[in-house]
Amino acid sequence: MSSHDDKIHSGGGYGYVHMKGVALSILVMGISLMGIIIAYVVFGHIGPSFSAERINVQQAELRKEYRLPDREVIRDEAVLLTPPSLRQMNQNGTSG
């Protein structure tokens, strides 16, 4: 027998052991994706309004604690979707 025949019969290359690792990896990815889908179905799409409301509550608590003046609460969806750092640029209306 040649050395080439020995490699074929000894399980050289991608054998059963390597494919078990690949199958296990695919299974773990599938379970993770299933968990994400279940979480989305249970909680639904939260969206920017949840974060904005939470920030408003936190700011109100901090303003009360540190005796700062009240500030206007932003409820406009278009403004909430714009990051705070870009809101001034959008209000200026500069077009290029």
Side-chain angles (χ1 to χ4, degrees), residues 34-93:
M34 184 177 65
I36 292 169
I37 292 170
I38 289 172
Y40 184 80
V41 168
V42 169
F43 297 113
H45 178 71
I46 295 174
S49 61
F50 173 78
S51 300
E53 187 60 36
R54 184 67 193 132
I55 288 173
N56 289 335
V57 169
Q58 286 176 344
Q59 284 183 356
E61 291 171 358
L62 290 172
R63 288 182 178 283
K64 185 177 180 180
E65 181 179 339
Y66 293 106
R67 298 183 191 106
L68 296 171
D70 288 338
R71 212 167 137 190
E72 172 188 351
V73 176
I74 301 171
R75 302 229 183 260
D76 184 15
E77 284 284 326
V79 175
L80 291 176
L81 289 173
T82 307
S85 60
L86 298 177
R87 287 180 188 165
Q88 275 302 53
M89 292 175 55
N90 289 342
Q91 290 176 355
N92 291 341

